[in-house]
Amino acid sequence: SGINCLFSGLIGRSWAMVFAAGGFKVKLYDIAQQQLTSALENIRKQMKELEETGFLKGDLSAEQQFSLISICTDLKAAVEGATFIQECTPETLELKKKIFSQLDLIVDDNVILSSSTSCLLPSKLFTGLKHVKQCIVSHPVNPPYFVPLVEIVPHPETDPSAVERTYALMKKIGQSPVKLNREVEGFVLNRLQYAVISEAWRLVDEGVISPTDLDLVMSDGLGMRYAFIGPLETMHLNAEG
């Protein structure tokens, strides 16, 4: 089964590497051949460096993983044989909608259409598409190669099987998927992040603490705990439990 990554920017390249590490054949699509050629060079270089430093993901060698990635400037050819399509265009609603409406005309009923968007709601992206049941947001955290979280956000009309298939695929390639039961502005990661940021601004603004020390509270305090367990588990395990 093939994976198709649309657009070869930073996130597209990262996804391609993550899927290849999981042993999947990947087609990387972009409109400009030059863009693709340099993306491939960049991926090869990164894979070699990761292998040399012992950080390469998956069971295959860098060479084997690299051989799973091919490039394509024809959208129709790119999606042929794909079971999962990951869109990685810039964060512009109009551009993403345009791409999904093009895909809507050429894909079959089995492929999952997934967007990497970090902030655009599925209802804004996918409403009105013939294949809306197959559409989903899979929001990675930058850089996806080292940060495994993927937020899976359904459109109100997304088929539950599309959610399950996406979840299983992300697990298979070694990411850490979480399912949102419904869409919400900012998804979950950024809502938590914004809550922390707004309190951080307030404490610095009110002269309680310097910016440098505020950052230390997180990096040498809270953050060390949160690297292993979340806030709810922390409360559950605290003191007497």
Side-chain angles (χ1 to χ4, degrees):
S1 55
I3 308 282
N4 176 248
C5 295
L6 298 180
F7 290 84
S8 57
L10 180 66
I11 296 293
R13 295 196 300 261
S14 296
W15 270 126
M17 289 170 65
V18 172
F19 285 124
F24 286 95
K25 273 194 162 141
V26 183
K27 273 189 208 161
L28 196 53
Y29 164 86
D30 211 311
I31 40 183
Q33 185 68 41
Q34 184 45 49
Q35 188 77 23
L36 286 168
T37 315
S38 63
L40 271 189
E41 277 167 29
N42 179 269
I43 288 171
R44 183 193 278 274
K45 188 166 155 271
Q46 280 192 72
M47 282 180 169
K48 277 212 123 31
E49 283 169 7
L50 288 162
E51 192 169 48
E52 282 160 15
T53 51
F55 288 112
L56 188 74
K57 290 170 81 132
D59 306 322
L60 303 170
S61 71
E63 209 43 62
Q64 286 170 314
Q65 290 185 26
F66 186 71
S67 71
L68 290 171
I69 302 173
S70 59
I71 54 177
C72 195
T73 53
D74 174 3
L75 192 61
K76 214 170 179 143
V79 304
E80 211 168 292
T83 50
F84 190 87
I85 295 172
Q86 185 72 29
E87 167 274 320
C88 314
T89 57
E91 210 58 37
T92 315
L93 182 62
E94 288 321 305
L95 179 60
K96 288 187 188 290
K97 280 181 76 156
K98 189 175 151 201
I99 283 286
F100 281 106
S101 60
Q102 287 174 345
L103 287 169
D104 199 33
L105 299 173
I106 54 178
V107 298
D108 62 25
D109 292 342
N110 298 315
V111 67
I112 289 174
L113 298 175
S114 170
S115 174
S116 299
T117 184
S118 59
C119 64
L120 299 170
L121 294 176
S123 57
K124 291 217 169 81
L125 284 175
F126 309 132
T127 297
L129 296 179
K130 278 202 317 264
H131 294 91
V132 65
K133 287 181 163 61
Q134 296 151 242
C135 292
I136 203 156
V137 163
S138 305
H139 169 228
V141 184
N142 205 7
Y145 199 87
F146 297 106
V147 185
L149 184 78
V150 179
E151 294 184 289
I152 298 174
V153 192
H155 182 280
E157 292 173 69
T158 300
D159 197 295
S161 71
V163 177
E164 292 314 319
R165 277 174 60 198
T166 304
Y167 186 86
L169 174 66
M170 294 304 162
K171 276 277 218 228
K172 196 169 167 58
I173 60 173
Q175 300 305 89
S176 301
V178 294
K179 289 181 231 178
L180 274 65
N181 298 319
R182 58 184 169 83
E183 64 174 31
V184 58
E185 290 281 358
F187 309 150
V188 172
L189 177 104
N190 278 326
R191 289 180 81 97
L192 287 171
Q193 182 166 247
Y194 294 158
V196 169
I197 289 170
S198 77
E199 187 55 33
W201 276 128
R202 189 178 299 122
L203 289 164
V204 170
D205 199 41
E206 290 174 0
V208 174
I209 193 167
S210 72
T212 311
D213 280 359
L214 183 287
D215 277 349
L216 269 178
V217 172
M218 188 55 85
S219 64
D220 290 24
L222 260 188
M224 296 178 101
R225 176 191 295 157
Y226 284 168
F228 301 98
I229 58 175
L232 303 181
E233 193 176 356
T234 301
M235 281 193 295
H236 179 68
L237 298 174
N238 194 29
E240 299 303 310

